[in-house]
Amino acid sequence: MKLAIIAAGEGSRLRQEGLNVPKPLVKINGETLIDKMVKRAENNGFQAIHIIVNDIYPELFDYVKAIKSKIPIYIKVKTTESSMHSFFELSEYLEDAPFLLTTIDPVFKENEFQQFMKFCTLHKEYDGVMAVTRFVDDEKPLWVETNKDGRILGFQSEKRNASFVSGGFYYFTPTVLPVLRQSIENGLLKMRNFQQELINKNYYLKAYEFSKIIDIDHVSDIQLASEFLK
């Protein structure tokens, strides 16, 4: 399995609050977010890491390039207009095996992640398994509606009948990639649009619940995540 990391955002909210480092280099309890990702890949049997970074932070490219990892790390440098477009840029490297797609900033308990990975590898019948949580710390969360069996029925900007919000990372099989490329061709702009297209085309997406997932969008989230992991 491969790990695909989207780290091409600008981290604008953190910069507005005075934190002038690329988000992947933000430290939680002394360890950068990108180092946490690499260690997680090493500890959970991933064969390769593919990461996209933007071209406005050359120091981030230099940092990632210098990481000494037990598994190969491949870096793509490109500034994209959305996380879906970053996913598209990585998709050519994800054709041959299942992969985990993640943004750079979700923080969660490692034992829960290990159970998530075990679940994904045991259930190859799903086209995708998406991490979800009932914990909401985002101003504009992506709400995930499911049926009683945990099958995802749709994605929405408002809560309505949903119990969960997206955790920002997803296990996928390569079967989803044609839908991604069609979504790009059709001019869709956001990851949630692509995800809804999968539902519209009757792909089987399963929700997997984490107790808490914290996204590092604000300076206050750093302290919250540090305390949570302790």
Side-chain angles (χ1 to χ4, degrees), residues 53 59-60 72 84 148 153 160 163 183 185 205 220 229:
V53 302
E59 66 269 34
L60 176 56
M84 184 179 75
K148 60 182 178 60
L153 302 177
R160 296 198 291 261
S163 299
S183 298
E185 290 177 10
L205 303 183
S220 59
L229 293 184

Side-chain angles (χ1 to χ4, degrees), residues 175-213:
T175 59
V176 306
L177 296 180
V179 179
L180 171 67
R181 287 159 188 158
Q182 188 64 54
S183 298
I184 293 290
E185 290 177 10
N186 291 342
L188 300 183
L189 298 177
K190 296 182 178 181
M191 183 73 80
R192 62 185 62 187
N193 301 137
F194 154 69
Q195 293 167 236
Q196 187 60 50
E197 279 295 289
L198 292 175
I199 300 300
N200 296 344
K201 295 180 182 299
N202 207 36
Y203 280 66
Y204 198 117
L205 303 183
K206 186 82 168 179
Y208 185 95
E209 184 178 0
F210 279 65
S211 61
K212 183 182 287 189
I213 299 173

